[in-house]
Amino acid sequence: MQHDLPNTGIVLSGGGARAAYQVGVLKAIYEMTPKGSLHPFPIICGSSAGAINAAVIACYAGQYRAGLRRLEGIWTNLTVNQVFRGDTLGLLKQSLGFTWHILSGRNPRKHNALLDNAPLRKLLEKSIPFKRLDKLIDEGLLQALCISCSDYYSGDTYSYYQGHDDIRPWKRHRRLGVADNIQLDHLMASSAIPLIFPSVAVGSQYLGDGSVGFMSPISPAIHLGAEKIMIIGLDPIQSEPGNIIEDKPHPGFSDVAGHVLDSVFIDSLNSDLERLQRINQTLKSVPSELMEKVNLPLKSIEALVIAPSIELGELATNCGQQLPRATRFFLSRIGIDCDSGSNMLSYLLFDGQFCKKLIELGYQDTQDRASEVMDFFELER
């Protein structure tokens, strides 16, 4: 049975543990939709940790409520040891191997990252029924799932999609859309935070975090046919540039690392959103007759952005005490203070208590903008 779904896409960005915020947003949207209605976004795109959320809701496209329960259960029951080896032996083995690789240049396959995320593979293998995708697409309940990864050799971003047969692959500067059957390796590669988690072989390529070097994270949804797009960001959107702060101490490792991760996960999305808004504004001023005459292949894309109302690092305060002792010691050695909130800590704090705070914030932020959300999805109030 085919279903007449709107061409609405959703873009789920990356950010490590911060991605739990997206679950709260999705939960609030579900409560706003009429009981028994189909899920509101048949085009689902994700990168990094957002790729995991994207895969779960896509595989449960015919059972939106069940998919949300599964997703919320994963995040709220999460422990560090389900994501990476946080025990003393695991941390010592991986960190020594990483140091040896840096000093000797040997064995990059096993030791090109600080942490061993083998436990995450086991968790996702049990949690995501990839085999459902083909049936959901055939039944018209899902138009496409897209997972983006970065090629560490070429620097290109590969957006792997599984969707309707009429979707054509695309190729742009450093961006390629490739039809494929989405599997666990795609998620492991897309969520492999640079230097933190190891790269993953997909076919003959070694791929890593899908947010690295991805200058147009909104574009896959447009290529897949979305005419309106919801974007769930993981950083507050600032209307004005930040002020210069006087008398700040010299930045430590965690400050620099947090800034680098921000540039990977956040800056490209915000820049792409600004570009989309400028195009929309330009198209409004161009007469439709002229558009037809010059055959300009551009169209206006309606976008709704839901982003945190506060800095997510603030929520990490006191949550670090829930981490295993060996993990806290390891993080403190590289300058990450687990006793107070920090940018870097919020990316690695894979803990149910912290994730619950993020989910609650995402839920409340979306409820606060209920009228905008309902207008976007054309829901009756």
Side-chain angles (χ1 to χ4, degrees), residues 13-23 49-50 53 75 234 358:
S13 59
R18 293 178 171 211
Y21 175 87
Q22 297 168 347
V23 181
N53 292 340
W75 285 102
L234 298 175
L358 291 169

Side-chain angles (χ1 to χ4, degrees), residues 278-333:
R278 285 197 302 270
I279 292 173
N280 285 344
Q281 285 297 115
T282 301
L283 292 177
K284 284 181 181 179
S285 63
V286 179
S288 57
E289 304 82 29
L290 181 59
M291 291 282 291
E292 293 176 5
K293 184 177 180 180
V294 299
N295 192 27
L296 191 62
L298 292 175
K299 60 182 179 179
S300 181
I301 303 291
E302 181 182 357
L304 174 66
V305 182
I306 301 291
S309 54
I310 63 172
E311 293 288 347
L312 297 185
E314 296 177 13
L315 292 182
T317 304
N318 297 325
C319 288
Q321 293 303 314
Q322 307 298 322
L323 298 174
R325 181 177 298 178
T327 304
R328 295 202 307 272
F329 177 81
F330 175 79
L331 293 178
S332 69
R333 294 306 91 191

Side-chain angles (χ1 to χ4, degrees), residues 32 48 103 144 168 179 192 221 258 260 341 352:
M32 295 178 194
S48 195
L103 295 176
R168 302 267 69 85
V260 170

